[in-house]
Each structure stands twice: as structure tokens, then as C-alpha cells.
Amino acid sequence: MTDPQLVARAQEGDLPAFEELVKKYQREIYGLAYRLVLDAEEAKDLTQQAFMQAFVHIKGFRQQAQFRTWLFRIAINQCYNYLKNRKKFGDPVDCDEYVLVGEDSPEEELVAQEDHRRLYAALSRLPAKQRAVITLKLEQGLSYEEISKVLGGTAGAARVNYCQALKTLKKYMQNEDDYEVAVRPYPKMVTRVSRR
Amino acid sequence: MKWRCALIQRWLPAYPDGDLSPFWQGMVRSHLEKCPACREELAGLEAVVMNLKAAPRPEPDQAFWDNFNRELHLKLAQSVQSVPEPPPARFLKMPYYLLGAPALAGLLLWVAFGYLNPERPGLPPQPQLSQEQKALEKTPAAPRLAAPAPAPEKSEAVMMVSQNGHDMHGEDDLDLDGDLDSTLAGMTETEREAFLKKVRQHEKDGSCTRESLAVCWA
Ligand SMILES: [Zn+2]
């Protein structure tokens, strides 16, 4: 069944139809939430909350819009609220560092690990909106037009934001080591994740 | 950095995917051909993109999603039971006990409107002369809106045309007039009765307006 068909049924209160949509998009929403809050457990909660919100408001969804981008918008708002609260209560915006640890760790793998570690550290320093635009463009593959539907503003503004965000990320990655020593000498957390 | 390089580098992240306008796409391409600094910058940006795309994300297994869907199903089912219909309008989100207030206000407005609008059809004409007099005698300055108003009158006797030709409301509007109010409030009962008698008499023959009468009386 297509999205518009499932949405139409969900709008009439058909829970299994809505759960079809959940299954279709849960991985994407989870990945997006994870990139935004950089915390696997919170990402799971926020993904559930996003679907709850979507279900409550699905009657107000207009079929001309894309269900996927509408869902992204809801999820991003949930994440923004979460980050705002975390900031308000003084919890530093920090990240889990998912570092791959293979059975045998050749030199290249160690270099890759170091790159990823610096990437996560740099990502965590970016403003949430810049993290969002980078994730939507590079990982979810949205066009600037679609990004503007999710984040608001125009497609032109989305392109400017993306350019700015990527340049900032690159700058942070270049000087991440200096920054870390100077600002936050936190211990590195290593989590094992399976590589697929 | 040269100003031209700064200008080009501003748009470099969007260049590899061809996301720039044809004009800018061409500008950047020709600049990159002759500028090693911008080529290096572009290579750095592409490395970041590669790094990001290759960066591992937690990819939960099927057991995680089964659990996720079970939990979510319970929450969704609960929300279906507790909130069957999301309220369409903002003011309907207020607690139900507060809904009585707008309803009462609406009812009062309806009654007051009906009372002030003598042309309103469907309501029987009342023997209003005596009623109006009683009301005046009891509470000459009481605001109309606060009282449960009697049904509006519909009669030529009530409608009057003032001297300058404007419609005037009937006798039931007597105490809505500020000057008249203050005049009536300062009278004794007998004075008031005499005054109202005079008002009616003058209004019947159209020789004087209430306002001028009030002024004369005062
Ligand atoms: Zn240059």
C-alpha cells in the first residue's frame, strides 16, 4: 500500500495502517534522532514520541505534503525540545562515541576510528540546526526544497545553511584536538556496535 | 585568502552535487582549474562528507525493533482509548468545566441582543408599558445586560422617531441613557413617576426629546 493510502486509513483511526507507516520509517527517524541528540537511548525515546505526535496529529496532515518530510519535521522538533531542556538543566550536549572495534585492528582501522571519534566530537559542537541540515542532506538524501519543508525557510536558505554547516564541521574537525585539550578533556567512551 | 577565493569557497560544499545555479557551477569549475588553494579546500570538504557517510550509526537488531514496536503499540492503543478525537479548535482544549463560561456568556448575549432588538421576530409582544414602568421604578439605573431581559417588544408604539429624524429605541431604552440615568437617580419616587408620565406624554406628541426634558427637569 502507498503512503497516501496508509495515511488516509490512519486518518480514519486505523491503527494497523499507522503501524505500517511506523515500520516503514522507524529506522530513518531513529537515525535522524540519533544524529541530532547523539545518544542512542534518547534517540529511541524521541523516535517513539515523534510517532506518537504524528498519530495524534495525523488528521491535520494534508495529503499534498509528503508524509516522510512531515514526519522528519515532527521528529526534529521533538529533538530540539529535548536539547533545549537538556541545555536548560545544565546537561552538556555530549555524545556517545560509537567506535568500531574489530576483531583484529589493523592500522587503517585505527585511523578510521580516530577519524570517527573526531567527527562525533566535532558534530557535538555544531548547533543542532546545522547537525539537522547535514544529516538531512547527506544521510537522508533530501533535496534543499525538501529540507526547507522540514526545517522551514526557503530552499535557498537551506543551501546556505548546508554550506555553512559543512564548512564549520570541517573546521571543527581540523582543530578538534586543540579544542579537546583546551576545553573538555573527557574520557573517551567506547561502545561496540555491530558492523553490517 | 583572495576575495575571489572567499566567494568561491562560500559555495564549495554545494558544488560536487551540482546544486548551484548553472552560472555559479561554471564559475566554481573554472576557478578550481586555476586555484590550488580552493582545490585543497574542496578535497577537505569531500573528505568530511566521506567520513560522515562512513561513520557508524547504531544499527539496532530486530529484537530492538520488536520491543520498540511493542512499546509503541501499547502507547498508541492507550492514546486511542483516552483521546478518541483530537479537539479541532484551541478554545475547546480548555477543561470541560470552563466550557460553561462561554456558553453562559453566549446565552446572556443572545438574551440581551434579543431584548435590545425590538425588530426580532418570533417573540410575542409584551404589555410593556406597565412592565417598563415597574422596572424603572424598582431599579432606575440598573444595567440591562445583567438582568434576565424580558422578550423584546415589537410595536409601533415603542418605535419612535426623534426630532432629527433618527430612529430611537423604545421606552425600554430609557434608562440606558447616561444623562437620563443620573437625572432619574437623583429623584424621589413621586418625582420620578411624574417625570416619566411627562416623558411619555411629550414623546407621544413628539414635542420634546427625553434628553432635553431631562435637562429641563434638572
Ligand atoms: Zn581560490
Side-chain angles (χ1 to χ4, degrees):
Chain A
M1 223 184 285
T2 63
D3 276 9
Q5 287 169 328
L6 287 169
V7 168
R9 292 178 70 161
Q11 283 177 325
E12 282 159 19
D14 185 340
L15 186 53
F18 183 77
E19 285 176 320
E20 277 295 303
L21 290 163
V22 171
K23 281 178 191 150
K24 191 167 175 185
Y25 292 113
Q26 58 191 181
R27 284 174 172 79
E28 269 190 314
I29 297 296
Y30 178 76
L32 178 66
Y34 175 73
R35 278 290 190 250
L36 284 177
V37 301
L38 300 164
D39 182 313
E41 199 52 42
E42 291 299 342
K44 180 192 162 197
D45 288 350
L46 289 164
T47 305
Q48 288 192 340
Q49 283 173 32
F51 282 118
M52 290 287 293
Q53 285 293 311
F55 186 63
V56 168
H57 295 287
I58 196 151
K59 281 192 177 166
F61 172 75
R62 282 166 295 120
Q63 286 279 16
Q64 302 97 289
Q66 255 191 64
F67 180 73
R68 180 171 173 246
T69 48
W70 183 70
L71 206 53
F72 282 169
R73 192 185 176 96
I74 292 176
I76 283 176
N77 282 337
Q78 295 289 318
C79 293
Y80 281 175
N81 287 340
Y82 165 79
L83 290 170
K84 220 179 340 181
N85 281 335
R86 197 158 75 168
K87 208 170 169 185
K88 196 164 77 187
F89 294 114
D91 200 0
V93 178
D94 215 336
C95 55
D96 294 346
E97 286 184 24
Y98 280 81
V99 179
L100 287 170
V101 182
E103 292 297 309
D104 46 352
S105 284
E107 204 169 322
E108 293 129 46
E109 190 126 330
L110 284 173
V111 171
Q113 279 176 30
E114 177 56 19
D115 279 352
H116 294 149
R117 188 193 62 75
R118 284 174 359 146
L119 173 72
Y120 286 117
L123 269 176
S124 72
R125 285 172 66 194
L126 275 188
K129 191 157 186 173
Q130 293 199 345
R131 278 208 294 275
V133 80
I134 283 185
T135 305
L136 291 173
K137 174 84 175 79
L138 295 178
E139 294 184 292
Q140 319 295 341
L142 264 58
S143 67
Y144 294 118
E145 188 66 41
E146 289 169 324
I147 292 174
S148 73
K149 297 240 164 61
V150 175
L151 298 179
T154 61
R159 188 176 56 190
V160 170
N161 282 338
Y162 169 72
C163 290
Q164 191 58 49
L166 198 65
K167 283 169 68 179
T168 310
L169 186 64
K170 175 175 171 282
K171 192 174 84 185
Y172 283 170
M173 281 185 72
Q174 274 170 348
N175 61 18
E176 185 52 40
D177 293 331
D178 307 337
Y179 177 79
E180 242 173 63
V181 171
V183 181
R184 40 162 215 189
Y186 63 88
K188 195 172 99 176
M189 210 161 69
V190 176
T191 311
R192 282 171 193 273
V193 289
S194 59
R195 175 180 267 173
R196 283 154 208 271
Chain B
M1 199 199 311
K2 286 181 230 157
W3 68 268
R4 190 179 285 270
C5 293
L7 198 64
I8 293 294
Q9 287 184 17
R10 199 169 162 224
W11 298 111
L12 268 186
Y15 172 74
D17 287 344
D19 287 335
L20 298 171
S21 67
F23 172 79
W24 274 102
Q25 204 72 24
M27 281 279 282
V28 173
R29 191 187 319 113
S30 62
H31 180 84
L32 284 172
E33 279 166 12
K34 53 196 177 211
C35 178
C38 286
R39 277 203 298 273
E40 197 187 321
E41 175 69 13
L42 180 64
L45 288 168
E46 286 181 318
V48 172
V49 171
M50 293 265 285
N51 198 330
L52 200 91
K53 285 183 171 169
R57 277 187 288 177
E59 287 186 33
D61 55 14
Q62 195 50 47
F64 171 93
W65 289 117
D66 289 344
N67 185 44
F68 178 98
N69 288 330
R70 218 174 10 252
E71 283 175 17
L72 185 62
H73 176 81
L74 286 176
K75 289 180 190 174
L76 290 171
Q78 245 170 9
S79 82
V80 168
Q81 280 168 0
S82 59
V83 196
E85 284 281 320
R90 191 183 171 82
F91 85 98
L92 286 178
K93 281 181 186 164
M94 66 173 79
Y96 286 111
Y97 57 84
L98 283 182
L99 285 175
L104 183 66
L107 184 70
L108 279 174
L109 271 174
W110 179 79
V111 167
F113 180 75
Y115 189 69
L116 293 174
N117 182 8
E119 290 293 356
R120 202 188 148 109
L123 289 163
Q126 302 277 320
Q128 46 96 189
L129 208 82
S130 60
Q131 198 179 7
E132 181 269 330
Q133 192 169 9
K134 261 187 250 164
L136 267 179
E137 280 165 6
K138 273 179 197 158
T139 52
R144 285 284 162 145
L145 287 178
E153 302 79 7
K154 180 194 173 188
S155 68
E156 289 78 37
V158 176
M159 288 302 290
M160 291 170 297
V161 178
S162 71
Q163 280 173 337
N164 58 12
H166 289 129
D167 279 353
M168 277 179 69
H169 291 285
E171 285 158 314
D172 54 342
D173 273 348
L174 220 59
D175 62 349
L176 284 177
D177 190 312
D179 283 341
L180 211 56
D181 273 352
S182 52
T183 309
L184 286 168
M187 294 176 190
T188 63
E189 283 219 351
T190 42
E191 279 175 334
R192 208 179 298 148
E193 238 169 80
F195 172 75
L196 287 169
K197 213 178 226 173
K198 211 164 193 176
V199 168
R200 266 175 228 111
Q201 205 176 340
H202 280 282
E203 280 175 346
K204 239 176 210 167
D205 58 36
S207 62
C208 190
T209 64
R210 296 178 221 182
E211 289 80 5
S212 56
L213 201 67
V215 171
C216 296
W217 190 282

